[in-house]
Amino acid sequence: MERAYRLIISCPDRVGIVAAVSDFIAAHGGWITEAHHYTDPESQWFFMRYVVRAASLPFGLEELTARFTPVAERFAMQWSIYDTGRNKRVVLLASKQAHCLSDLLYRWRSGEMDFEIPCVLSNHDELRGYVEWHGLRYCHFPVDPADKAAHFAAVEQALDEARPDVIVLARYMQILPERICARHPARIINIHHSFLPSFVGARPYHQAAARGVKLIGATCHYVTTELDAGPIIEQDVVRVGHHNTVDDMIRLGKDVEKQVLARGLRCHLEDRVLVHGNKTIVFG
């Protein structure tokens, strides 16, 4: 894909924001290839995502950032600019189940999704061979159920060394401590095996079968210090009926989990997700 800059903005809504940003880009010969705008009607907060051809501007990212700063300050913007010429670094965490991890590794290896994987972290050793077959570093940090502090200290150190842009919990079956969650706001993505907040905890498909549900689904969300309550990025469902066994639901659930996780991660990698309180604005 052609190299571009993604300009992501949120700020209090007022007249002239779109004109100011567009005029700034046009004044420097910038070519806008995507434009998204939205105002939240309750908070009157404005959101914007622009994609600009890098080659159309006479300067690079550093000077673009410096020149745009006065515009951002005038409108009290929360903003960032991303260079698509640099792939984001994604650290994957997994436990024993491989369906989400293997799906993301396939998409990465095939070039379907562009990102770097500095390492894969796990509390079990079962997936080592599969990960290392891809030429990736696999870090196994066992968990002592009586004292998980050593495990999470090792995970935190590995994350510091890997310098990830985003952390993906690909069916990692441990609850991250508040310290790690707080250090990576809106940068830890989890996949949950239902439409939150339904069927939380263990054996969700058994719970769903016992309730006779007609839809099962998955929720991709950001991790916060409040368990399974972070801003939702993506969701989907699959229909089931009385004839579906628990095993059927588990199989169908795994399919929808990996699809929803991949879509959620893609939106994050493409800077399409803006967090507003405990909600997200996702530009398609």
Side-chain angles (χ1 to χ4, degrees):
M1 295 180 61
E2 183 180 22
R3 184 181 174 193
Y5 298 126
R6 298 187 188 122
L7 176 59
I8 312 301
I9 294 169
S10 64
C11 61
D13 195 18
R14 55 180 275 197
V15 173
I17 301 172
V18 173
V21 175
S22 300
D23 287 349
F24 169 84
I25 295 170
H28 296 95
W31 191 326
I32 300 170
T33 59
E34 286 187 60
H36 301 89
H37 317 109
Y38 175 72
T39 297
D40 180 69
E42 294 183 0
S43 63
Q44 289 299 301
W45 204 260
F46 177 77
F47 304 88
M48 172 185 280
R49 177 183 181 271
Y50 270 8
V51 180
V52 182
R53 287 181 178 172
S56 68
L57 293 170
F59 38 70
L61 181 62
E62 185 175 346
E63 187 171 348
L64 172 59
T65 301
R67 287 175 179 252
F68 186 74
T69 297
V71 179
E73 291 176 345
R74 185 176 6 138
F75 292 94
M77 293 176 178
Q78 300 170 12
W79 63 290
S80 53
I81 303 177
Y82 299 95
D83 184 348
T84 65
R86 185 188 77 85
N87 286 340
K88 289 184 171 64
R89 295 169 62 83
V90 179
V91 170
L92 304 172
L93 277 72
S95 290
K96 291 184 177 181
Q97 296 187 41
H99 58 289
C100 288
L101 176 66
S102 62
D103 181 71
L104 293 180
L105 292 183
Y106 169 78
R107 295 174 190 272
W108 165 77
R109 187 179 181 88
S110 66
E112 181 182 323
M113 293 175 67
D114 293 325
F115 55 91
E116 296 181 14
I117 305 176
C119 59
V120 176
L121 312 181
S122 181
N123 55 318
H124 294 281
D125 212 33
E126 277 81 350
L127 301 177
R128 177 184 295 278
Y130 183 71
V131 171
E132 291 183 345
W133 179 83
H134 286 79
L136 296 170
R137 180 181 172 218
Y138 187 84
C139 302
H140 172 216
F141 304 128
V143 173
D144 179 356
D147 183 7
K148 298 184 178 183
H151 169 77
F152 290 122
V155 167
E156 188 169 14
Q157 181 177 345
L159 292 174
D160 288 343
E161 294 172 355
R163 296 174 290 105
D165 295 294
V166 59
I167 300 159
V168 177
L169 309 185
R171 300 300 284 150
Y172 170 71
M173 305 306 291
Q174 297 292 318
I175 299 173
L176 290 177
E178 290 188 3
R179 172 181 169 80
I180 294 179
C181 297
R183 289 188 62 192
H184 303 275
R187 292 199 297 128
I188 306 176
I189 294 176
N190 189 29
I191 184 66
H192 196 277
H193 43 56
S194 70
F195 260 18
L196 291 174
S198 301
F199 306 125
V200 299
R203 297 165 67 85
Y205 295 112
H206 294 74
Q207 295 180 53
R211 290 287 300 275
V213 302
K214 301 300 182 276
L215 293 171
I216 57 175
T219 299
C220 177
H221 66 97
Y222 287 119
V223 174
T224 63
T225 54
E226 185 177 356
L227 181 63
D228 290 336
I232 292 171
I233 306 169
E234 178 63 73
Q235 293 181 299
D236 207 348
V237 295
V238 59
R239 295 199 65 85
V240 294
H242 62 272
H243 59 283
N244 289 116
T245 66
V246 172
D247 287 342
D248 290 336
M249 291 188 181
I250 291 173
R251 172 177 54 81
L252 294 168
K254 286 182 176 180
D255 286 344
V256 73
E257 284 172 23
K258 61 189 181 184
Q259 293 167 9
V260 169
L261 180 58
R263 292 204 300 264
L265 177 58
R266 181 182 294 278
C267 286
H268 181 93
L269 293 174
E270 295 179 356
D271 306 305
R272 297 185 181 276
V273 187
L274 288 78
V275 176
H276 183 51
N278 204 48
K279 298 194 302 183
T280 57
I281 286 78
V282 183
F283 288 125

